[in-house]
Amino acid sequence: MYSSNLIPVENALKLIESVKITLKKEDIPLEEANTRVLAENIEVLIDVPPFDRSAMDGYALIAEDTVMASKSNPIYLEVIDEIGAGSVSNHTLSQGHAIRIATGAPMPPGSNAVVMEEDIEHLDNKIKITKKVAFNRDVALKGEDLKKGEIILKEGQILDPNHLSVIASSGYSRVKVFKKPEVGVIITGNELVDPTTNLEPGKIVNSNRFALKGLVEDSLAVPHIKHCRDDLDTMANELHEYAQKYDVVITTGGTAISKGDVVVSATSKLGEVLVHGVAIKPGKPVGFGVVNNKPVFMLSGYPVAAAVQFDIFTRNYILKMQNIYKKFDLIECTAGDDIRSSKGKCNIIRAKLEEDRVYPIKTKAGINKSAVLSNCYIFIDEDTKDIKKGEKCNILKYSSLKVFE
Amino acid sequence: MYSSNLIPVENALKLIESVKITLKKEDIPLEEANTRVLAENIEVLIDVPPFDRSAMDGYALIAEDTVMASKSNPIYLEVIDEIGAGSVSNHTLSQGHAIRIATGAPMPPGSNAVVMEEDIEHLDNKIKITKKVAFNRDVALKGEDLKKGEIILKEGQILDPNHLSVIASSGYSRVKVFKKPEVGVIITGNELVDPTTNLEPGKIVNSNRFALKGLVEDSLAVPHIKHCRDDLDTMANELHEYAQKYDVVITTGGTAISKGDVVVSATSKLGEVLVHGVAIKPGKPVGFGVVNNKPVFMLSGYPVAAAVQFDIFTRNYILKMQNIYKKFDLIECTAGDDIRSSKGKCNIIRAKLEEDRVYPIKTKAGINKSAVLSNCYIFIDEDTKDIKKGEKCNILKYSSLKVFE
């Protein structure tokens, strides 16, 4: 059916990449920005610290007062005030005086060093110092952490808790990020029903609904899932609506003869089909098109094929819509067993990597259990024949596909 | 202050681990279970496929009818019905007959093989077959994917989209998972205000609020953040309330002299302090206690110290509450520069790993910018002195701390 006009995976990816992406931005409260992608450079708005402050619990003093201090020649300073964190002192420090100060509290005017609590002795309202305190000792200087005007983070950064902390300190309570793509998922298949232990004859559990929701979520996008009957008019209506409402449409199923390729037909009717049939196994009937300027990924109904198609064709596109650029990180390792492949196709075989050996999961194409037994794909390109036990092969770890590796 | 009674990191971790965890479970809809931790074994409830079904678009037939088929001796079968996915046929197949069948549709009674659409020719209501079709060819047998009664996933599994798909197929629409811990976070500090470009004198931006929210979220738990003034009674009231309402309490700040260690005092008043002061740098004043049988992690106010304390003492505890067991994955690499350390303490230095060399970020303790310049910690234990450029040292990659590596 497709065998005559299957296109190589690379070509399919190029056609998919040719569909232009407009990155959308939004302004959100900083506390909601964890794992979001920064859509602006962060320029520091205020010096941090905003003032010279004490880095220790101790006493602010004038360093010059202590130049001669030693055990045999202790010096005594009068404590004239106390500054807690968040408070300021009204006193300007003059010779012979000290002010008790908390970590983080602003240095009182006139002072230029802090002596630690541990290094002094108390005598009534005086402190005894037996060692010279250096200029700026235990003072955090204004702007030494973040300097007003410097660019501290750049557009495209995926934000983590550390970043949020630094952005807050830089003076921001809101931040511009790339909008999460809204992804419409249309699951076709009259035979599909919700999970049940009492399946009617001919019915099958709609497992793709759960997988696709998770796959879209893991791509940092927002899934909107719908089940649609295998009927061209219904499908065309749904596709039309979803291509209006959402940024991307994904479909599953709709390629069996009795259904007359409803999904591909609907896409063709409403827009353009750019890819239909790729030299990949599993996943050969994968399609890609454009409706209302929105990309439409047409995946198989079989869960194993749909998962491979999402992994190879869809995920990185959705990430790119958020300014996240991922490449396939193929690594070489040794086959722990013979691996069969079909020549003329890119074979993507679920497998288990154990230490430095990879073992193909030997099942038929329709067997989804392999999903939970495997942790990587073996990649065998169009030109390579079977691989023998002990030979080298390329693998793609599932973990390497994730945004957060 | 603490130097006399600092305890080693290991001992602190042992004391923390000694506080018993009761894992809580909940039953949730399967579509919400992505990234949740399974709290039950998944026993397959129905055979998958639930019936013998066609693995191809083609024609269901009786394999024996084709035994003699060849190019020179084609055989002809009469097509008596058509079965779409989700439908069943009322016919029982008898010799000389075939039924058109869609991928996934149930094999009609009497049939035992499928010939692919591509391998036949049509002649009116007959199909022409020129090659033997093997018994069970292109038939997916009942139960060949999932067998009723088998255990397909075990308690403790972190669920991903592949797992959800297999659980759905196994007959489940809901699933039992470990409850996300509710984590109360009390940020203390009179000096702390929301991010602004107009800081009043003595005030500082409350950046910990953002960092802690994200850190708790990344630990798959639910944060409840509150800012509290440095006052023993207020603090004790808040702590009392949070230790009632939530599963874990985290505090930041409250160790400066002028505040009189309000957090530690409040914990001591309401419960028990098990740790106060650890031989770690930064993060020495870290505390840990129990109030209302709930663990209370008392972190520093300084963002750099609080982050280290969370990474070393808190995250893995929160994960363990969800049945996720993480260990610190120290790896050896080469110092790209001289690294200074304080003897007698475990030194944890923010650093940047570039290829196989690690470079310490040279800043003072209060400098949080290091958070966004670094990608790992250098670990230098109590007994090791400074490390020279080119010598080996242990590092802990930030990425290795995450649940999803």
Side-chain angles (χ1 to χ4, degrees):
Chain A
M1 220 168 164
Y2 303 109
S3 45
S4 56
N5 50 4
L6 294 180
I7 62 169
V9 172
E10 274 172 68
N11 296 17
L13 285 171
K14 271 185 201 141
L15 285 164
I16 291 169
E17 282 163 18
S18 75
V19 173
K20 215 184 130 221
I21 289 171
T22 310
L23 296 167
K24 296 182 183 177
K25 302 177 180 185
E26 64 180 336
D27 192 69
I28 62 168
L30 184 58
E31 57 247 62
E32 290 164 19
N34 192 28
T35 78
R36 299 300 298 269
V37 185
L38 201 53
E40 62 181 338
N41 292 338
I42 296 295
E43 182 185 326
V44 175
L45 301 177
I46 46 170
D47 284 316
V48 179
F51 44 80
D52 293 353
R53 70 184 177 199
S54 176
M56 284 287 169
D57 292 342
Y59 293 82
L61 47 72
I62 299 167
E64 291 78 356
D65 280 355
T66 69
V67 170
M68 304 300 292
S70 69
K71 274 195 181 157
S72 58
N73 180 33
I75 65 113
Y76 297 87
L77 300 175
E78 188 187 346
V79 180
I80 58 164
D81 198 2
E82 175 170 320
I83 318 175
S87 307
V88 286
S89 176
N90 296 320
H91 289 84
T92 295
L93 209 63
S94 53
Q95 228 185 333
H97 291 166
I99 290 179
R100 197 179 190 210
I101 193 164
T103 306
M107 296 292 289
S111 69
N112 59 20
V114 172
V115 62
M116 287 198 295
E117 185 71 37
E118 293 95 310
D119 290 346
I120 57 105
E121 272 176 61
H122 291 274
L123 287 130
D124 299 328
N125 67 336
K126 293 202 167 178
I127 55 170
K128 177 180 169 188
I129 296 174
T130 54
K131 223 167 71 183
K132 182 187 161 185
V133 180
F135 178 67
N136 276 342
R137 168 89 206 189
D138 288 323
V139 178
L141 296 171
K142 177 179 174 175
E144 75 171 16
D145 187 353
L146 301 171
K147 196 116 218 124
K148 186 174 171 177
E150 74 171 316
I151 302 291
I152 186 72
L153 286 168
K154 293 212 169 138
E155 181 179 305
Q157 177 70 51
I158 304 182
L159 298 173
D160 71 19
N162 278 336
H163 298 127
L164 300 192
S165 165
V166 173
I167 294 172
S169 297
S170 300
Y172 295 82
S173 58
R174 300 182 69 84
V175 74
K176 201 171 279 176
V177 294
F178 292 103
K179 232 174 148 305
K180 286 172 179 265
E182 306 279 329
V183 179
V185 179
I186 304 174
I187 311 273
T188 73
N190 295 347
E191 74 279 22
L192 300 179
V193 296
D194 283 339
T196 173
T197 53
N198 281 307
L199 277 176
E200 280 175 49
K203 302 298 182 193
I204 284 177
V205 169
N206 180 355
S207 64
N208 273 336
R209 152 160 100 86
F210 300 95
L212 265 300
K213 179 169 183 284
L215 287 168
V216 170
E217 287 166 354
D218 288 353
S219 310
L220 308 184
V222 183
H224 302 273
I225 315 258
K226 179 172 255 180
H227 180 206
C228 174
R229 291 188 62 77
D230 302 311
D231 166 84
L232 181 56
D233 287 340
T234 314
M235 181 61 208
N237 284 339
E238 300 287 10
L239 183 55
H240 176 75
E241 187 195 327
Y242 266 41
Q244 297 285 337
K245 273 164 98 165
Y246 302 122
D247 303 310
V248 184
V249 180
I250 297 173
T251 65
T252 67
T255 56
I257 41 163
S258 59
K259 307 178 188 177
D261 274 350
V262 290
V263 173
V264 180
S265 302
T267 303
S268 172
K269 189 177 156 183
L270 299 171
E272 192 187 357
V273 174
L274 300 179
V275 173
H276 188 202
V278 175
I280 188 171
K281 185 184 173 185
K284 166 178 81 160
V286 65
F288 177 76
V290 180
V291 173
N292 189 35
N293 294 315
K294 310 291 179 60
V296 179
F297 292 88
M298 295 170 267
L299 314 185
S300 296
Y302 267 128
V304 178
V308 167
Q309 292 161 341
F310 186 93
D311 285 342
I312 303 303
F313 300 111
T314 312
R315 181 188 287 101
N316 287 355
Y317 191 95
I318 295 177
L319 293 178
K320 212 164 67 173
M321 295 177 77
Q322 301 161 74
N323 209 20
I324 301 171
Y325 299 86
K326 288 276 292 184
K327 279 186 197 160
F328 295 123
D329 188 18
L330 289 177
I331 54 176
E332 196 183 69
C333 77
T334 305
D337 212 336
D338 293 347
I339 308 168
R340 288 211 178 171
S341 77
S342 306
K343 243 202 129 176
K345 292 206 189 87
C346 176
N347 284 251
I348 299 183
I349 299 151
R350 283 180 169 171
K352 182 135 196 187
L353 179 67
E354 286 177 7
E355 303 191 5
D356 63 337
R357 302 237 148 196
V358 65
Y359 301 86
I361 307 284
K362 294 198 170 163
T363 60
K364 293 157 85 177
I367 306 269
N368 197 26
K369 179 160 60 182
S370 56
V372 301
L373 303 175
S374 55
N375 58 16
C376 67
Y377 291 125
I378 297 168
F379 257 70
I380 303 183
D381 64 31
E382 289 86 343
D383 305 322
T384 307
K385 283 195 172 180
D386 298 350
I387 287 171
K388 296 257 168 257
K389 181 173 169 175
E391 290 180 349
K392 294 289 176 192
C393 61
N394 285 321
I395 66 161
L396 184 65
K397 288 163 90 174
Y398 293 166
S399 58
S400 78
L401 292 168
K402 296 190 172 168
V403 187
F404 304 105
E405 292 178 48
Chain B
M1 219 171 168
Y2 303 108
S3 46
S4 56
N5 50 3
L6 294 180
I7 63 169
V9 172
E10 274 172 67
N11 297 16
L13 285 171
K14 271 185 200 140
L15 285 164
I16 292 169
E17 282 162 17
S18 75
V19 173
K20 215 184 130 222
I21 289 172
T22 310
L23 296 168
K24 296 182 183 178
K25 301 175 181 186
E26 64 180 336
D27 192 68
I28 61 167
L30 183 58
E31 57 246 63
E32 290 164 18
N34 192 28
T35 78
R36 300 298 298 268
V37 185
L38 201 54
E40 61 180 339
N41 292 338
I42 296 295
E43 182 186 325
V44 176
L45 301 177
I46 46 169
D47 284 317
V48 178
F51 43 81
D52 293 354
R53 70 184 176 197
S54 178
M56 284 289 168
D57 292 343
Y59 293 82
L61 47 72
I62 299 166
E64 291 79 357
D65 280 355
T66 69
V67 170
M68 305 301 290
S70 69
K71 273 197 179 157
S72 57
N73 182 34
I75 65 116
Y76 298 87
L77 301 174
E78 189 187 344
V79 180
I80 58 164
D81 199 3
E82 174 169 321
I83 318 176
S87 307
V88 286
S89 175
N90 295 320
H91 292 82
T92 295
L93 210 63
S94 53
Q95 228 184 334
H97 291 166
I99 290 178
R100 197 180 190 207
I101 193 165
T103 306
M107 295 292 287
S111 68
N112 60 21
V114 171
V115 60
M116 286 199 295
E117 185 72 37
E118 292 95 312
D119 290 346
I120 56 106
E121 272 176 60
H122 291 275
L123 289 128
D124 298 328
N125 67 333
K126 294 201 167 176
I127 54 169
K128 176 182 168 186
I129 297 174
T130 54
K131 221 167 73 182
K132 183 186 160 185
V133 181
F135 179 68
N136 277 342
R137 168 88 205 193
D138 287 323
V139 178
L141 296 171
K142 177 179 174 175
E144 74 171 18
D145 187 354
L146 301 170
K147 195 118 219 119
K148 187 175 171 179
E150 73 171 316
I151 303 292
I152 186 71
L153 287 168
K154 293 210 171 140
E155 181 179 305
Q157 177 70 52
I158 303 182
L159 298 174
D160 70 19
N162 277 337
H163 299 125
L164 301 192
S165 165
V166 173
I167 294 172
S169 297
S170 301
Y172 295 81
S173 57
R174 299 183 69 84
V175 74
K176 203 173 275 174
V177 295
F178 291 104
K179 232 175 149 305
K180 286 170 178 268
E182 305 280 328
V183 180
V185 180
I186 304 174
I187 310 273
T188 72
N190 296 346
E191 73 279 23
L192 300 179
V193 295
D194 282 339
T196 173
T197 52
N198 282 307
L199 278 175
E200 281 175 48
K203 301 299 180 192
I204 283 176
V205 170
N206 178 355
S207 63
N208 273 336
R209 150 161 102 87
F210 300 95
L212 264 301
K213 179 167 183 285
L215 288 167
V216 170
E217 286 167 351
D218 288 352
S219 310
L220 308 184
V222 183
H224 303 273
I225 315 258
K226 179 174 253 178
H227 181 207
C228 172
R229 290 188 63 79
D230 303 310
D231 165 84
L232 182 56
D233 288 340
T234 313
M235 180 63 207
N237 283 339
E238 300 286 11
L239 182 57
H240 176 75
E241 187 195 328
Y242 266 40
Q244 297 285 337
K245 274 165 97 166
Y246 303 122
D247 303 310
V248 184
V249 180
I250 297 173
T251 65
T252 66
T255 55
I257 41 163
S258 58
K259 308 177 187 178
D261 273 349
V262 289
V263 173
V264 179
S265 303
T267 304
S268 172
K269 189 175 158 186
L270 300 170
E272 192 186 357
V273 173
L274 301 179
V275 174
H276 188 202
V278 175
I280 189 171
K281 185 183 174 185
K284 166 178 84 160
V286 65
F288 176 76
V290 180
V291 173
N292 190 36
N293 294 315
K294 309 290 178 61
V296 179
F297 292 88
M298 294 169 267
L299 313 185
S300 295
Y302 268 128
V304 179
V308 166
Q309 292 160 341
F310 186 93
D311 286 341
I312 304 303
F313 300 111
T314 312
R315 180 187 288 102
N316 287 355
Y317 191 94
I318 295 177
L319 292 178
K320 212 163 70 175
M321 295 176 78
Q322 299 161 77
N323 208 20
I324 301 172
Y325 299 86
K326 289 275 293 183
K327 279 186 197 160
F328 295 123
D329 187 18
L330 289 176
I331 55 177
E332 197 183 71
C333 75
T334 305
D337 212 336
D338 292 348
I339 309 167
R340 289 210 177 171
S341 78
S342 306
K343 243 202 129 177
K345 292 207 189 87
C346 177
N347 284 250
I348 299 183
I349 300 152
R350 283 180 170 170
K352 183 135 197 189
L353 179 66
E354 286 176 7
E355 302 190 3
D356 63 336
R357 302 237 148 194
V358 65
Y359 300 85
I361 307 284
K362 294 198 167 161
T363 59
K364 293 157 87 176
I367 307 269
N368 197 27
K369 178 161 59 180
S370 56
V372 301
L373 303 175
S374 55
N375 58 15
C376 67
Y377 291 125
I378 296 167
F379 257 69
I380 303 183
D381 65 29
E382 290 84 343
D383 305 322
T384 307
K385 282 197 173 179
D386 298 350
I387 288 172
K388 296 259 170 252
K389 180 174 170 174
E391 290 182 347
K392 294 288 175 192
C393 62
N394 285 322
I395 67 161
L396 185 64
K397 289 163 86 173
Y398 293 166
S399 58
S400 77
L401 293 167
K402 297 192 171 168
V403 185
F404 304 104
E405 293 178 45

